[in-house]
């Protein structure tokens, strides 16, 4: 169904966003730079996957999948930013 497809494409890239942001973070780039780099990496990976699926007869690629995967990567990094700061504050107290 459409709802399941939307949920899986979005949620499937959340862990990628968290993991990529954890690996790529540096103090110099700041959170805006990290969100941008993570979003572009998620978009690039998704584009690679979608282009590959165009050559597999049993699969279909779509712009919706690309956008949902990219949004999932962004939200993963953004969630890390929010929860990472909250956890750091809790650890200090």
């Amino acid at each position: 169904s459409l709802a399941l497809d939307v949920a899986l494409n979005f949620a499937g890239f959340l862990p990628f966003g968290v993991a990529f942001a954890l690996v790529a973070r540096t103090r110099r780039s700041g959170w805006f730079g990290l969100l941008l780099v993570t979003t572009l990496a998620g978009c690039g990976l998704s584009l690679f996957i979608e282009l590959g699926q165009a050559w597999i007869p049993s699969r279909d690629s779509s712009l919706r999948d690309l956008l949902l995967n990219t949004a999932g990567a962004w939200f993963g990094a953004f969630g890390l930013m929010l929860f990472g700061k909250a956890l750091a504050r809790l650890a200090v107290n």
Side-chain angles (χ1 to χ4, degrees), residues 1 10 17 24 26 28-30 34 41-42 44-45 50-51 54 58-59 61 63 69 71 73 85 88 90-91:
S1 81
F10 180 79
T26 63
R28 290 183 300 172
S29 66
L34 185 60
L45 177 60
E50 296 301 319
L51 289 174
S58 63
R59 305 288 305 203
S61 59
L63 181 59
N69 292 342
K85 287 182 179 181
L90 287 174

Side-chain angles (χ1 to χ4, degrees), residues 4-86:
L4 180 62
D5 186 48
V6 167
L8 288 175
N9 276 294
F10 180 79
F13 268 67
L14 283 169
F16 173 83
V18 171
F20 191 90
L22 280 171
V23 171
R25 70 180 173 173
T26 63
R27 294 193 186 275
R28 290 183 300 172
S29 66
W31 280 105
F32 177 78
L34 185 60
L35 286 172
L36 180 64
V37 167
T38 302
T39 302
L40 291 174
C43 184
L45 177 60
S46 180
L47 181 62
F48 179 77
I49 292 168
E50 296 301 319
L51 289 174
Q53 285 181 353
W55 297 99
I56 302 171
S58 63
R59 305 288 305 203
D60 67 12
S61 59
S62 73
L63 181 59
R64 181 184 65 226
D65 291 352
L66 175 67
L67 294 174
L68 288 166
N69 292 342
T70 302
W74 185 89
F75 272 95
F78 187 71
L80 175 68
M81 178 185 74
L82 291 179
F83 292 115
K85 287 182 179 181

